[in-house]
């Protein structure tokens, strides 16, 4: 556990598992999520601005829920979210499916390379010790 300041209110708290919000703000965040989810259930296709106006939840919070893949945009094309890697329009998350697959493949290759280096003893420390 490490002591950090809450990203929302600034209050210091003990963070576990990478939490960035204190317990009070996490509760508020969950309440906001329920408001947004319930509004979208009754009003599918509503805009971010409309959801914000009707629920009182900030637009930035709604966009964060989209990026966290907690909610999804109904339309195929939108001007709200785009892939952070290639820029194509997406409905939820931070990356399109194509980029997710490419990133997964690249990370898998990097991991295999690291494991290969470990087995051959050519890791960073070993290579520098031999010089």
């Amino acid at each position: 556990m490490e002591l950090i300041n809450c990203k929302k209110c600034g209050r210091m708290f003990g963070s576990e598992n990478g939490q960035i919000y204190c317990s009070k703000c996490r509760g508020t965040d969950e309440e906001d999520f329920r408001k947004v989810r319930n509004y979208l259930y009754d009003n599918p296709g509503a805009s971010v601005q409309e959801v914000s106006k009707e629920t009182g939840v900030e637009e930035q919070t709604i966009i964060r829920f989209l990026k966290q893949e907690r909610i999804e945009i109904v339309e195929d094309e939108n001007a709200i979210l785009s892939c952070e890697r290639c820029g194509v329009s997406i409905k939820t998350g931070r990356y399109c499916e194509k980029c997710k697959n490419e990133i997964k493949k690249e990370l898998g290759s990097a991991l295999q390379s690291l494991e290969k280096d470990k087995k051959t003893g050519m890791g960073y420390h070993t290579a520098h010790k031999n010089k």
Side-chain angles (χ1 to χ4, degrees):
M1 178 186 310
E2 66 177 307
L3 286 176
I4 67 167
N5 291 355
C6 175
K7 294 286 185 188
K8 192 167 188 175
C9 71
R11 189 175 98 188
M12 189 173 280
F13 74 102
S15 174
E16 293 181 10
N17 302 322
Q19 295 169 329
I20 60 172
Y21 299 116
C22 66
S23 59
K24 180 180 177 188
C25 290
R26 277 194 310 272
T28 303
D29 200 53
E30 286 305 308
E31 184 179 318
D32 286 347
F33 174 70
R34 280 191 292 278
K35 288 179 191 176
V36 169
R37 183 192 61 204
N38 291 340
Y39 185 81
L40 288 172
Y41 182 79
D42 294 333
N43 303 279
S47 70
V48 172
Q49 294 82 8
E50 178 186 343
V51 175
S52 177
K53 181 181 175 190
E54 296 299 321
T55 63
V57 176
E58 293 181 4
E59 289 182 24
Q60 297 90 337
T61 302
I62 297 167
I63 291 171
R64 182 170 43 84
F65 293 152
L66 286 163
K67 287 185 175 188
Q68 291 173 338
E69 299 185 1
R70 295 178 79 183
I71 57 175
E72 183 175 293
I73 297 170
V74 177
E75 301 89 27
D76 287 330
E77 293 295 320
N78 71 80
I80 300 168
L81 286 182
S82 57
C83 176
E84 292 180 10
R85 190 167 187 228
C86 73
V88 71
S89 178
I90 57 177
K91 293 180 177 190
T92 190
R94 296 177 54 204
Y95 303 102
C96 67
E97 288 302 315
K98 179 182 174 195
C99 287
K100 282 182 189 178
N101 290 333
E102 289 174 359
I103 291 168
K104 186 176 179 180
K105 184 178 177 182
E106 290 168 7
L107 289 173
S109 294
L111 182 60
Q112 285 179 344
S113 178
L114 286 172
E115 288 174 353
K116 180 181 173 189
D117 287 349
K118 276 185 178 178
K119 288 179 185 175
T120 61
M122 293 303 294
Y124 176 79
H125 297 290
T126 304
H128 290 316
K129 285 182 184 175
N130 293 336
K131 287 188 176 180

